[in-house]
Amino acid sequence: LLLLPGDGIGHAVMEATQSVFAALGMDITLHRANIGWQCWLEEGKPIPDATWQAIHQADGILLGATTSKPVKEALSQLPISLRDQITTY
């Protein structure tokens, strides 16, 4: 099962989810990958290539909250070096 915490409260939600799986004694292998605003700021992609690979290999996915911003605001916060490569968040 792939956990994609996303942003903000998504991390707390995924921690709670892992606690539930542990308490139920479920035999599930959990994997984590990155998605969301921080990925956008670092790579110019809200879903990095490595995360796409993990998604395609996963039997199931739990997605936490991700940041949502208007296009102009998102682009204004993206590093200048990435702005020419990206169209939208």
Side-chain angles (χ1 to χ4, degrees):
L1 188 60
L2 180 63
L3 305 179
L4 300 174
D7 304 308
I9 196 168
H11 291 274
V13 170
M14 286 302 144
E15 292 301 320
T17 300
Q18 290 178 70
S19 298
V20 170
F21 286 138
L24 293 173
M26 299 179 75
D27 186 22
I28 296 176
T29 301
L30 301 175
H31 302 278
R32 294 176 76 96
N34 296 318
I35 190 170
W37 186 251
Q38 193 61 41
C39 297
W40 165 258
L41 292 176
E42 292 173 4
E43 301 181 32
K45 297 178 182 182
I47 307 174
D49 294 340
T51 299
W52 278 118
Q53 290 175 346
I55 288 169
H56 291 297
Q57 295 173 357
D59 292 324
I61 300 168
L62 292 176
L63 175 62
T66 57
T67 298
S68 176
K69 295 188 181 199
V71 173
K72 286 184 180 182
E73 184 180 345
L75 285 173
S76 73
Q77 294 181 18
L78 190 65
I80 293 172
S81 63
L82 295 174
R83 289 184 192 172
D84 291 339
Q85 304 170 27
I86 308 303
T87 55
T88 61
Y89 174 71

